[in-house]
Amino acid sequence: MGTPDYAVRVRDVRVTYPRGNVEALRGVTLDVALGERVCLLGPNGAGKSTLTHVMLGLLRPDTGSVGVLGSSPREALAAGGVGAMLQETGLMRDVRVGELIRLVTGLYGARRSAGEVLAEVGLADLARRPVTALSGGQRQRLKLALALSGKPSLLFLDEPTVALDVAARRSFWTVLTERASTGVTVLFTTHYLEEAEQFADRVVVLRDGSLVADGTVREVRSSATGSRISFSTKDSIDPGRLARLPGVREVGTRGGGYVLTTSDSDLTLPALYQNVDGIHDLSVVSASLEDAVVGLLGKEAS
């Protein structure tokens, strides 16, 4: 395939499902550079899985074009450049873990040994266990092993940490971080926003089949309503008085104290101390990625 100058290139892709006439993707355009770690965010039905299937060549768009590693999605898959871990992935029954991985690594030309792949995902001790005897978390690790079996340069991971406990999720992302450090491009979807904050170089937010945000975590966070100032006082305060402070966009209460949402905490804090006596237990929290996503998606984000 030669040396591509991009990992994924999507241009004005549209997909409509005939049943119900659902417009799943509405002119999506997206570039993913080689070596990037990109997280696709959005509520159920936003188009994340549809976009992933289009990029994998599993679904042909109605209009638009898709390039993967310098060729078509199907050509990139056939060349072994792409690994995928999808929510709907089924696993062969009546085989053992090691047998399945040996089969798949063999189909990829034995670029990696089965033992190497199993060790990477923490399944070396379960090589002789039947696939049907695996727990939910172990099945997720096996799916990751299958995605890594061909030594891909591009990985698609659709909700990869579902069914994993906190420790297993941490171990999972350790594996992916090490893989990404070798230059592998990673596209993933998740409902755990802390995973996006910790692992992604870039966040792409979809809503109703359209791209509504695209940037670094910091850039997307900056689209949120601002910082939150929480504090308590010994006396009650008129919320209208707090709402008139510079930068304040919203006034709320919590646990007997007050919460101010402000577009500029540097402006709000001095004015707060000048106008309110007896302030204590004050804290300032910058807007999180969750705040930004909720703001972009509105009620859907819940």
Side-chain angles (χ1 to χ4, degrees):
M1 292 191 297
T3 302
D5 57 0
Y6 61 86
V8 177
R9 181 166 291 164
V10 177
R11 289 290 179 273
D12 195 27
V13 163
R14 297 177 183 273
V15 174
T16 299
Y17 293 117
R19 186 174 181 178
N21 196 32
V22 177
E23 198 172 7
L25 293 177
R26 308 182 183 193
V28 171
T29 293
L30 176 68
D31 283 332
V32 178
L34 294 168
E36 263 195 311
R37 299 177 295 182
V38 178
C39 180
L40 302 177
L41 293 175
N44 293 330
K48 303 187 301 298
S49 293
T50 298
L51 180 58
T52 298
H53 290 175
V54 166
M55 292 187 289
L56 284 170
L58 301 175
L59 180 65
R60 180 172 294 178
D62 300 326
T63 61
S65 63
V66 182
V68 175
L69 297 175
S71 62
S72 72
R74 288 186 176 272
E75 289 171 331
L77 279 168
V82 179
M85 180 180 173
L86 304 180
Q87 291 187 61
E88 302 88 356
T89 301
L91 295 171
M92 294 175 63
R93 302 175 65 84
D94 303 320
V95 297
R96 299 181 187 276
V97 170
E99 292 172 337
L100 180 56
I101 296 301
R102 280 194 295 273
L103 171 63
V104 176
T105 53
L107 292 174
Y108 279 114
R111 300 176 185 179
R112 307 186 69 193
S113 70
E116 177 188 357
V117 175
L118 291 172
E120 183 175 13
V121 300
L123 290 177
D125 294 339
L126 301 179
R128 297 186 58 79
R129 179 169 296 185
V131 169
T132 52
L134 296 176
S135 68
Q138 291 165 345
R139 290 172 67 87
Q140 287 297 97
R141 282 190 279 165
L142 179 56
K143 291 178 183 180
L144 176 60
L146 294 171
L148 296 172
S149 290
K151 204 171 185 178
S153 56
L154 171 60
L155 276 172
F156 287 92
L157 309 169
D158 194 5
E159 299 288 347
T161 56
V162 171
L164 299 183
D165 59 30
V166 174
R169 282 170 55 196
R170 187 179 298 116
S171 175
F172 180 96
W173 287 114
T174 296
V175 172
L176 266 297
T177 299
E178 292 173 355
R179 183 64 33 201
S181 70
T182 67
V184 172
T185 306
V186 181
L187 274 80
F188 68 100
T189 70
T190 183
H191 283 299
Y192 301 114
L193 295 187
E194 66 271 19
E195 292 182 347
E197 289 194 276
Q198 294 170 9
F199 187 75
D201 300 316
R202 184 168 146 222
V203 172
V204 174
V205 184
L206 291 171
R207 182 184 64 201
D208 295 330
S210 298
L211 193 154
V212 295
D214 182 357
T216 65
V217 171
R218 177 173 293 187
E219 288 169 344
V220 174
R221 265 201 314 239
S222 69
S223 68
T225 54
S227 303
R228 287 196 179 96
I229 300 174
S230 302
F231 66 94
S232 298
T233 62
K234 62 180 181 179
D235 301 317
S236 61
I237 307 171
D238 176 14
R241 180 181 168 194
L242 295 173
R244 290 190 291 272
L245 296 176
V248 172
R249 294 181 175 179
E250 185 179 341
V251 178
T253 58
R254 183 172 60 195
Y258 299 89
V259 180
L260 309 181
T261 301
T262 172
S263 59
D264 190 336
S265 59
D266 290 335
L267 281 177
T268 304
L269 280 171
L272 176 64
Y273 275 104
Q274 289 172 6
N275 288 272
V276 178
D277 296 325
I279 293 174
H280 59 90
D281 297 330
L282 183 140
S283 66
V284 180
V285 179
S286 298
S288 66
L289 181 60
E290 181 177 355
D291 295 323
V293 171
V294 168
L296 288 165
L297 302 180
K299 293 181 180 179
E300 290 179 286
S302 62

